[in-house]
Every structure is written in C-alpha cells, then in structure tokens.
C-alpha cells in the first residue's frame, strides 16, 4: 500500500467539517441513503471517501455520486453511487457503504484502512469521481461534502452541478468507455439524444392519429430544466408545454409518483382538449408516466407497464424486419398489472420475467436477453442491448446487398439504441422513444390505451411493529413468514375471479405493502381489505391502517 495519502486527514476533516451527530444507524438501500437533508452531511463526506476507494479498486475508472431524493418531498435528500458501467453500485459495496456511514468519527479512519487492506488498494493510484445533484436548495452543501471526501483521499473530483440522475449515469459510462458511449458533457448528452430522435422521427411531425402536442409536468425538479434545454435545441420537432418548471416545491402535488399513486392530474395541468398526451416525470427525472383525460374528464394512466409493452411491440417489429435471430424479453415486478402480463404473453408472445422490486434487480435480469426491456409499473425502466445485438444489427445496416426494408429496419434499431439511455431509466429519453413509436404507429393515446385493459387494483400500507417479520420468495409474490400468512392469502384470493394479491415489507418506508388486483372494482376492494386484515392480525399490526391507493379504478 502506498502511503501517499495521509489517512489522518480523514478524521481531521470529519471532526472539523462533517461530524457525525446522528446516533441512529442508516442503511444503503435500493435508493441508496435517503433521509432528511439536515442529517446527511457526514454521510455525503463519507460517500466521497468510498467513491474514491471504489474508483481506485476499479483501476481508476470513474465512479458517480448522485445527490438526490428522487420523488421524495423537499426536506429530504439522498445519495447513490454509480458503478463504472453506469449501473447501480455492486451489492457487496452496499454493505461497505452502510458500515462506513455508521461508524463513529473516531473509527472512520480505521474503517477506511480496512477497506484499503481488504481490497489491496494502492492509494497512490489514479481515481476519478463524478458528482451531480438535483435542484433542492440543500444539494449544493451536500455536494461540497462529497467533494471534500474525495479530496481527503487526494482523489479527483468533477462536479456536473445540477443534472438528472440518468444524465450522471450517462456521464460515468461515457467517461469509462473512452467516448464510445457518447461525450461526457451536458451538451454531448443533448446532442446524442436529439440526433437519434431526428433520425427516427424524420421530418413528418404528425401522422394518422398522432398529434405533435404534449403537456409535460416537470415535478418542479431538475428534469423540467433539462427538458427546456432540449426544447431550445429542437426547433418545433416536439411541441412540448413544460409546467411545474420549478415555481413550486419539488414533487409537491405533482410528478410521476404523485400521478401514479393518486391516479390524478398534477397541479397546474393546463386546460386542454380531451385525449391530449400528458407526461409526468419525478424529481430527478428517472421515472416517467403518461396520462390523459377523456371527454368526461375521467383520468387515465399509462404507466411503466404500458411503456414496456409499447417498446416491445416496436422492437419485435424491427427485429423481425432485420431478419436477425435475437432473444427479446420483458422484465417486470410483482406490481405489474396482470392485464399487461397477459398481453405480453398472449398477444406479443414475448418472454416475460418477474423479479423483486428495485431497479438493480430488473436491470440485472434484462442483461440476460439480447434485447431486455425492463420497467417498474411506477415508470422506471429502459432497454438494454447486448454487444452481440449491436454487432449483428450494425452488420445488417452496413450490408448494402441486403434488401432495403431490412437495412432500413437495422438503421432504425441502431438509432433506437442511441436514443435510449441503457445505463438506467431516463424519463426524457424514455419519453422520446414513446413519442417516436406513437408517431411511427400513427397512434394517439386512445390507440395506445386500447392495446389491453388493466385489471382494477389497489394498494394498502400497513403499520406493523417489525416489518421484517414478513419475508418473501418467488420475486416477492409469496410470503415465507410469518407462518400461515401465505395459506391465508391463497384462500382469500381463490374466492375472486382473476384475483391476485401479495404482501411485502417496503424497502423505503417502515410499513408493509399489500397489493391486490381482481376482475372488478368491487372485488378488488374486498380482496385488499381481507388480505390487509389478515396481515394486520398475523404480522402484528399497530395503529390505524394508512390510506389506500387505487389503480385502474374510476375516480
Ligand atoms: C426505490 C427503488 C424503486 C422501487 C422503490 C420501491 C431504485 C433506484 N429505486 O425507490 O425502484 O420501486 O424503491 O419502494 O431501485 P418500496 O420498497 O418502498 O415499495
Ligand atoms: Zn427518481
């Protein structure tokens, strides 16, 4: 181990600038660390340390640190590390992150030394850390703490200022692929997506039922600003009205989570003709959902399941036309509506896999396919393409002896790969692809909505003394403990046509979630109530049951 870094600096910095005043432990979960912003200074500093160590372990490759609390309310903030390929931090390092965040200031130096020894890190070697933040007012202070953590270990830090989460993921991969994925600048990001969008969309803005008009709820977050940047560079190719641009509080009564959970319009939605396409993203722009109102002003949601099916149909068509044998698959979680899963299996005839909640699980599974489309119902998702896919599509596109339709399809597929952000769900890039497909199909939202019917569904939150008493298996679709709960659920579900229900402890809140779907609104209300009652009794419910949220139910 090189002694080029004086490790005593670690404690000095911590004591003087970022003392740990919090005594309760914090855990690096599916969303990284997330809590009230005023409790995060020391965590940020320590994540600056960890990112530098990780970069050195990875031979000096760039590691990303994103400061955001995504769809959470304004007082919250959080931090997530991004691995060299632009993906989520590797599992085993999540534990290191948790350990490092929870040691006392005095033990911090020895905890760092432990990591250095275990991983045999040369502290004199090169390192690179990219940092980005959302537009919360406390983010700049937290970004400084991350940077100081990097500097304490004599690492290199580059700040991108205010960027969306997917932009930072993109920057990290660009940097580590030596530019092959794109240019690691904000302008590089805009130009890559705009170029691909133009190539796919052509000069025709309207087609069939597709109209070039879109209302965009920016959730008062960073995505609103970046959308405006896109529009500045795009002439009128996409006619977008951006609202909730930052005039209100981030995610307050707006944003993808609010729209999805509440099944309702975000605040400030401009009056418009029935069936106008509306988009809502979350505070850091890695989730997107569509919605519209009909002539009776009834609200309709097009969630992540809908986007996944739209993508899959489009990709299948291109792959068939390319005449390449590629394995396409869709990855969902247990929250995917049964209506969508049926449609994928029976109509699209695409293999579908179910994995536990959390982006990393979906991403990981999607990598098993030549083309893997993954989406959580909440609107987080993207498409990943294997190297084999990229090479074989390129070969078709470049082979002038093949027929025109085949070459054309291959070129379109190449542009699709460019427009999508393969590293992580990207609300704006996802939206571009939806717009491209709808225009290409000549579809309005009604056409899209009519591809299949969602089963009515409901979710409930239940407070229990210890939510971890509930353990699950089979991608969270079956309960293992407490004993008797799964049998009870099975008996209840059997009474309802097309009934399905599962129970899991939340990874982000101290509650248990109950999901149910059934053929009718009335049935699903009874089903969710019965299962919730059972959970409440068997898992040690406390306090009143919290509000339920509806999907696919009339307002
Ligand atoms: C986190 C996950 C999200 C998941 C949600 C579930 C990432 C980046 N985010 O926000 O994918 O849907 O947790 O929350 O993985 P829950 O465990 O409280 O239901
Ligand atoms: Zn988010």
């Amino acid at each position: 181990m090189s002694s080029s870094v004086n490790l005593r600096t670690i404690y000095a910095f911590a004591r003087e600038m970022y003392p740990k005043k919090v005594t309760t432990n914090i855990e690096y979960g599916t969303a990284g660390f997330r809590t009230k912003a005023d409790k995060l200074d020391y965590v940020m500093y320590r994540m600056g340390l960890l990112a530098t160590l990780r970069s050195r372990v990875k031979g000096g490759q760039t590691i990303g640190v994103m400061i955001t609390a995504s769809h959470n309310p304004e007082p919250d903030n959080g931090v997530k590390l991004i691995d060299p390929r632009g993906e989520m931090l590797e599992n085993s390092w999540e534990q290191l992150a948790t350990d490092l965040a929870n040691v006392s200031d005095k033990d911090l130096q020895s905890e760092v030394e432990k990591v250095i020894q275990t991983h045999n890190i040369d502290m004199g070697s090169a390192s690179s850390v990219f940092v980005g933040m959302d537009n919360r007012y406390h983010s700049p202070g937290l970004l400084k703490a991350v940077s100081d953590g990097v500097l304490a270990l004599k690492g290199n830090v580059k700040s991108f200022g205010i960027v969306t989460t997917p932009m930072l993921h993109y920057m990290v991969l660009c940097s580590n692929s030596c530019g092959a994925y794109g240019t690691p600048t904000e302008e590089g990001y805009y130009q890559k997506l705009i170029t691909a969008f133009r190539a796919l969309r052509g000069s025709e803005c309207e087609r069939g039922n597709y109209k070039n008009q879109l209302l965009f709820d920016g959730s008062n977050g960073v995505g609103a600003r970046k959308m405006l940047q896109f529009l500045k560079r795009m002439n009128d190719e996409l006619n977008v009205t951006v609202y909730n641009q930052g005039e209100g509080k981030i995610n307050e009564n707006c944003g993808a989570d609010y729209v999805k959970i509440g099944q309702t319009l975000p605040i400030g939605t401009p009056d418009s003709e029935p069936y106008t396409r509306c988009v809502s993203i979350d505070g850091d722009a890695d989730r997107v959902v569509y919605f519209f109102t009909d002539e009776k002003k009834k609200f309709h949601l097009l969630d992540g399941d809908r986007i996944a099916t739209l993508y899959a149909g489009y990709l299948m068509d291109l792959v068939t036309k390319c005449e390449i044998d590629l394995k396409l698959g869709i990855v969902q979680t247990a929250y995917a509506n049964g209506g969508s899963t049926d449609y994928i299996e029976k109509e699209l005839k695409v293999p579908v896999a179910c994995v536990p909640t959390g982006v990393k699980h979906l991403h990981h599974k999607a990598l098993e396919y030549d083309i893997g489309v993954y989406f959580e119902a909440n609107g987080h998702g993207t498409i990943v393409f294997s190297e084999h896919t990229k090479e074989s599509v390129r070969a078709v596109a470049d082979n002038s002896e093949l027929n025109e339709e085949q070459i054309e399809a291959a070129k379109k597929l190449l542009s699709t790969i460019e427009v999508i952000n393969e590293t992580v769900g990207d609300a704006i890039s996802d939206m571009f692809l939806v717009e491209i497909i709808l225009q290409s199909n000549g579809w309005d939202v009604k056409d899209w909505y009519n591809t299949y019917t969602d089963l009515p569904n409901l979710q409930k939150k239940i407070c229990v003394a210890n939510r971890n008493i509930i353990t699950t298996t089979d991608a969270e679709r079956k309960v293992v403990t407490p004993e008797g709960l799964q049998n009870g659920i099975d008996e209840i579900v059997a009474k309802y046509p097309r009934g399905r229900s599962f129970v899991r402890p939340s990874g982000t809140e101290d509650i248990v979630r109950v999901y149910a779907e059934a053929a009718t609104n009335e049935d699903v209300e009874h089903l969710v109530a019965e299962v919730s009652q059972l959970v409440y009794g068997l898992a040690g419910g406390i306090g009143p049951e919290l509000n339920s949220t509806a999907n696919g139910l009339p307002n």
Side-chain angles (χ1 to χ4, degrees):
M1 186 179 77
S2 156
S3 57
S4 55
V5 176
N6 180 352
L7 293 177
R8 265 174 305 179
T9 320
I10 296 172
Y11 175 51
F13 248 117
R15 193 190 49 211
E16 296 302 322
M17 313 256 304
Y18 306 110
K20 179 172 180 281
K21 295 185 196 131
V22 180
T23 48
T24 45
N25 277 1
I26 184 166
E27 194 185 336
Y28 194 101
T30 41
F33 292 114
R34 199 172 292 177
T35 183
K36 296 280 164 277
D38 54 10
K39 289 186 183 162
L40 276 167
D41 267 24
Y42 72 99
V43 177
M44 295 291 170
Y45 167 66
R46 291 161 184 225
M47 287 308 102
L49 300 173
L50 192 71
T52 309
L53 295 171
R54 179 102 182 122
S55 172
R56 290 195 170 122
V57 166
K58 291 283 169 189
Q61 292 190 84
T62 298
I63 298 294
V65 182
M66 182 68 199
I67 298 157
T68 180
S70 186
H71 56 278
N72 283 29
E74 192 181 51
D76 291 3
N77 217 319
V79 59
K80 259 189 296 193
L81 265 61
I82 304 169
D83 255 358
R85 303 283 310 155
E87 73 278 44
M88 305 283 170
L89 180 67
E90 185 186 299
N91 253 343
S92 60
W93 277 64
E94 289 188 0
Q95 188 57 50
L96 291 187
T98 299
D99 294 345
L100 199 65
N102 292 324
V103 288
S104 67
D105 289 329
K106 276 208 161 59
D107 292 334
L108 187 57
Q109 181 182 334
S110 60
E111 191 67 29
V112 169
E113 282 168 353
K114 216 167 77 187
V115 179
I116 295 173
Q117 268 148 27
T118 318
H119 295 271
N120 199 13
I121 302 173
D122 175 0
M123 291 303 285
S125 65
S127 69
S128 162
V129 174
F130 283 2
V131 196
M133 60 180 175
D134 69 18
N135 59 326
R136 286 163 213 259
Y137 65 87
H138 30 72
S139 291
L142 298 175
L143 187 138
K144 166 101 177 26
V146 172
S147 303
D148 282 345
V150 177
L151 296 177
L153 292 182
K154 288 199 182 159
N156 287 308
V157 60
K158 182 176 161 99
S159 164
F160 284 84
I162 296 176
V163 283
T164 67
T165 294
M167 282 169 84
L168 194 69
H169 283 253
Y170 160 91
M171 304 297 177
V172 169
L173 180 54
C174 287
S175 159
N176 293 326
S177 64
C178 302
Y181 193 68
T183 313
T185 60
E186 194 158 335
E187 197 56 43
Y189 171 80
Y190 296 137
Q191 292 309 330
K192 179 177 173 176
L193 267 58
I194 291 172
T195 307
F197 179 84
R198 284 192 178 135
L200 285 163
R201 172 96 153 201
S203 52
E204 201 183 2
C205 284
E206 310 222 321
R207 181 184 214 163
N209 294 333
Y210 179 86
K211 290 201 178 51
N212 183 16
Q213 194 204 349
L214 195 62
L215 301 179
F216 183 99
D217 158 29
S219 206
N220 293 318
V222 46
R225 301 185 185 200
K226 302 306 172 187
M227 192 61 231
L228 291 169
Q229 290 299 321
F230 269 110
L231 294 175
K232 257 197 211 169
R233 291 161 172 79
M234 285 180 79
N235 313 319
D236 290 324
E237 293 146 278
L238 206 53
N239 177 10
V240 186
T241 306
V242 181
Y243 63 109
N244 296 325
Q245 293 188 10
E247 58 277 24
K249 283 190 179 164
I250 192 166
N251 303 322
E252 191 170 273
N253 300 322
C254 58
D257 205 53
Y258 175 82
V259 170
K260 163 82 181 160
I261 292 187
Q263 294 277 305
T264 181
L265 296 180
I267 195 167
T269 305
D271 277 338
S272 63
E273 295 285 300
Y275 301 103
T276 299
R277 282 193 311 289
C278 305
V279 169
S280 194
I281 66 168
D282 73 338
D284 63 335
D286 61 355
R287 286 191 195 181
V288 58
V289 295
Y290 273 70
F291 58 93
F292 63 93
T293 48
D294 61 20
E295 51 281 90
K296 292 184 189 136
K297 299 219 179 289
K298 186 174 171 228
F299 172 95
H300 299 271
L301 180 75
L302 293 142
D303 62 5
D305 301 343
R306 298 274 178 180
I307 300 176
T309 53
L310 185 74
Y311 285 2
Y314 174 77
L315 290 165
M316 291 263 290
D317 183 47
L318 288 181
V319 167
T320 311
K321 285 184 178 147
C322 279
E323 297 178 32
I324 314 176
D325 186 19
L326 294 172
K327 197 168 142 226
L328 182 94
I330 297 187
V331 186
Q332 304 185 312
T333 70
Y335 288 108
N337 194 282
S340 76
T341 315
D342 271 3
Y343 173 70
I344 295 166
E345 284 175 333
K346 294 182 186 143
E347 302 281 326
L348 296 175
K349 298 194 173 24
V350 170
V352 52
C354 184
V355 298
T357 304
V359 172
K360 64 180 178 193
H361 300 294
L362 289 112
H363 190 93
H364 190 73
K365 184 72 190 173
L367 293 173
E368 289 178 16
Y369 301 98
D370 293 321
I371 301 178
V373 179
Y374 71 83
F375 262 92
E376 289 193 308
N378 64 25
H380 188 120
T382 187
I383 313 171
V384 288
F385 301 87
S386 70
E387 274 315 307
H388 162 68
T389 303
K390 290 177 186 168
E391 280 160 24
S392 26
V393 177
R394 234 174 265 132
V396 172
D398 292 343
N399 187 344
S400 54
E401 284 169 17
L402 298 173
N403 73 58
E404 240 173 72
E405 200 193 16
Q406 206 177 343
I407 295 173
E408 184 63 18
K411 285 189 176 156
K412 279 193 179 166
L413 209 42
L414 288 179
S415 294
T416 305
I417 297 171
E418 289 289 297
V419 91
I420 209 76
N421 186 337
E422 285 190 82
T423 60
V424 75
D426 182 329
I428 296 177
S429 134
D430 283 340
M431 182 196 89
F432 282 160
L433 187 56
V434 168
E435 293 300 312
I436 287 161
I437 299 172
L438 293 178
Q439 184 254 9
S440 154
N441 292 357
W443 281 6
D444 67 2
V445 272
K446 229 188 302 177
D447 299 310
W448 183 14
Y449 195 74
N450 287 338
T451 50
Y452 67 84
T453 309
D454 274 324
L455 287 170
N457 61 86
L458 278 172
Q459 287 192 46
K460 259 185 188 287
K461 296 178 177 187
I462 297 180
C463 291
V464 296
N466 172 13
R467 72 187 197 274
N468 295 319
I469 194 174
I470 295 192
T471 56
T472 64
T473 182
D474 190 21
E476 303 177 325
R477 289 173 295 188
K478 294 245 173 307
V479 165
V480 178
T481 60
E483 210 175 313
L485 181 51
Q486 188 57 48
N487 281 345
I489 295 173
D490 290 343
E491 278 168 25
I492 297 168
V493 166
K495 297 191 291 188
Y496 297 97
R498 303 204 66 187
R500 185 169 74 90
S501 179
F502 66 89
V503 177
R504 57 177 280 277
S506 158
T508 61
E509 291 178 72
D510 193 12
I511 47 136
V512 169
R513 296 193 197 281
V514 177
Y515 174 93
E517 64 185 33
T520 67
N521 294 335
E522 208 190 334
D523 276 1
V524 79
E525 277 180 37
H526 289 134
L527 176 55
V528 84
E530 278 194 60
V531 174
S532 299
Q533 201 67 48
L534 185 70
V535 174
Y536 199 82
L538 283 178
I542 47 170
E545 288 170 20
L546 300 180
N547 55 331
S548 58
T549 57
N551 277 331
L553 288 174
N555 287 340

